[in-house]
Amino acid sequence: MKPVIVLAAGGTGGHMFPAQSIAESFAAKGFDIVLTTDDRGMRYADNFADDVERVVLPTGSFSQGSIIKRLMTPFRLMQGALLARKVFKKHKPVCVIGFGGYPAAPSLYMARMSGVPYYIHEQNAVLGRVNKLFQKNAKRVACGLWPVVGSGENAVYIGNPVRSNVSPLAQSALPKGDAIHLVVFGGSQGASVFSSILPYALAKLPIELRKKIRLTQQAREGEVDDLKKRYQDMNVSVELAPFFNDMPARIANSHFVVARSGASTLAELQVIGRGSILVPLPSAMNDHQRLNAKAMVSANAAIEYDEDRHSADDLAKWLEDILTQPTALARMADAAHKLARPNAAEDLCELVLKELNHGP
């Protein structure tokens, strides 16, 4: 019988993508994987290997949803913990790795209560609520960025694992030819702000530059038709969709990116090697997206667009300055790649196995 690792992840792509990469690394070493998440996380579970057992746990949030849903959160978390106990009893995992988010809490709680060693992976530059709650008794807090606010003495810099479809694209060369490929997206949950500011910014660019742009943009379903017409009116070639399931390949085929500064996005930009304009999500807890972007900005791999301080005029100026200078595009791409930790998944896997003195 193969040893079992339980991966406990929240319901966003930022939690699930690193969990998927870690699952692939442990599976390659002969482990069976059990994934525990919530209904939202299951939207990403199809990307995991077929032999990964998926367990949906009832969870909630103290900060989101109606008052009634928030009041029900303790009870739902308790239900999740009871179901996690059944998972532990059935599989007897050698360890648990939590990736943050409330859906990770039940499995981490059961690990702590039952004496199963557990690790935490924090993707962002600020330790999240659930990770902070379980940090003290974790064997290690593996950090995706560095430094991480609140990470503690058991923290170690690992990097953010990228999925298997990203690794082959590492340090992709910039496309050749006169066309300028620009990719714009808001992370796994989209971002309407780009639908608001980008058309205005592109409209301010010289007509000859606009004609060269080949735009790929993620936009909400209800925004696509209006955006398409606006871009057509300004002679910008565009492909629009609410979601692109091949986003890493599109980044690799681009010259430049405009995006939110979620941890998974930054990891992919670094491994692939692309310059960017980063637009931190203002509502991100503890303003972590702004802190996420700090290393990229400091390395001159990115420019930060602050929704409160900057305008479409600023965005237009930056785009014109960068997109008309091939040397600037190459310089920013190289600076991004120098920050990459392409072996993060394997490094975390090796750390866990070494500390547990455990092999399949």
Side-chain angles (χ1 to χ4, degrees):
M1 181 179 293
K2 294 181 181 180
V4 174
I5 302 281
V6 171
L7 304 182
T12 69
H15 298 122
M16 295 292 285
F17 295 157
Q20 177 190 339
S21 183
I22 294 297
E24 292 165 355
S25 291
F26 274 106
K29 295 184 181 298
F31 286 81
D32 280 337
I33 310 298
V34 177
L35 171 69
T36 63
T37 185
D38 65 355
D39 290 329
R40 295 181 308 147
M42 286 299 291
R43 295 177 302 176
Y44 304 93
D46 287 345
N47 297 320
F48 286 70
D50 292 340
D51 57 357
V52 172
E53 182 174 334
R54 297 147 171 85
V55 180
V56 179
L57 302 180
T59 60
S61 171
F62 292 102
S63 59
Q64 296 179 353
S66 66
I67 294 178
I68 294 177
K69 287 185 176 180
R70 294 182 193 183
L71 291 174
M72 289 296 294
T73 293
F75 302 100
R76 290 184 60 78
L77 289 172
M78 187 179 300
Q79 287 178 316
L82 292 174
L83 184 53
R85 183 170 68 176
K86 293 181 179 179
V87 172
F88 280 43
K89 186 175 181 180
K90 174 183 176 183
H91 293 287
K92 297 178 175 55
V94 296
C95 83
V96 176
I97 304 176
F99 294 86
Y102 285 107
S107 292
L108 289 173
Y109 173 76
M110 286 311 305
R112 188 166 69 183
M113 294 301 292
S114 58
V116 174
Y118 69 88
Y119 291 76
I120 285 170
H121 184 272
E122 174 56 59
Q123 299 85 48
N124 295 301
V126 181
L127 201 65
R129 287 181 179 179
V130 170
N131 284 347
K132 188 173 184 179
L133 180 65
F134 291 97
Q135 167 196 16
K136 182 178 179 181
N137 297 108
K139 288 184 70 68
R140 290 281 186 169
V141 176
C143 299
L145 299 172
W146 196 260
V148 171
V149 177
S151 56
E153 295 181 357
N154 57 350
V156 58
Y157 181 31
I158 289 291
N160 278 310
V162 295
R163 293 167 287 170
S164 58
N165 62 341
V166 177
S167 298
L169 303 172
Q171 207 168 8
S172 295
L174 293 172
K176 297 185 182 299
D178 292 333
I180 300 172
H181 297 271
L182 177 65
V183 170
V184 179
F185 65 102
S188 62
Q189 300 180 73
S192 284
V193 63
F194 299 125
S195 299
S196 300
I197 62 173
L198 197 70
Y200 288 102
L202 294 187
K204 295 176 180 294
L205 298 180
I207 182 64
E208 292 306 315
L209 176 57
R210 288 206 306 267
K211 288 180 178 179
K212 292 181 180 180
I213 291 175
R214 303 296 180 265
L215 174 64
T216 297
Q217 183 174 345
Q218 181 189 37
R220 295 183 186 275
E221 189 76 47
E223 300 168 346
V224 169
D225 290 341
D226 179 61
L227 278 174
K228 186 175 295 185
K229 184 177 186 307
R230 294 173 71 180
Y231 287 132
Q232 287 174 345
D233 290 344
M234 65 175 79
N235 294 307
V236 172
S237 174
V238 63
E239 184 177 358
L240 292 157
F243 185 77
F244 294 99
N245 58 15
D246 59 344
M247 187 57 78
R250 291 175 183 271
I251 293 173
N253 289 325
S254 75
H255 290 89
F256 197 70
V257 173
V258 180
R260 289 296 194 193
S261 48
S264 292
T265 295
L266 298 185
E268 293 180 3
L269 289 174
Q270 290 167 3
V271 170
I272 295 170
R274 284 299 177 271
S276 58
I277 292 174
L278 299 174
V279 187
L281 179 67
S283 61
M285 190 171 295
N286 299 317
D287 203 24
H288 70 254
Q289 284 211 2
R290 191 178 312 282
L291 292 174
N292 286 358
K294 189 173 181 180
M296 289 278 279
V297 174
S298 297
N300 295 317
I303 296 171
E304 180 188 335
Y305 179 102
D306 187 315
E307 290 185 45
D308 293 328
R309 294 189 297 111
H310 297 122
S311 66
D313 288 327
D314 296 314
L315 182 59
K317 181 180 183 303
W318 294 334
L319 287 173
E320 182 175 359
D321 289 345
I322 295 168
L323 299 183
T324 55
Q325 298 185 63
T327 55
L329 289 168
R331 187 169 56 248
M332 293 182 76
D334 184 59
H337 184 69
K338 286 179 179 178
L339 297 174
R341 307 278 291 204
N343 299 318
E346 187 68 17
D347 289 346
L348 178 54
C349 183
E350 292 291 345
L351 172 68
V352 171
L353 295 182
K354 181 179 179 180
E355 293 194 349
L356 294 181
N357 192 26
H358 201 295

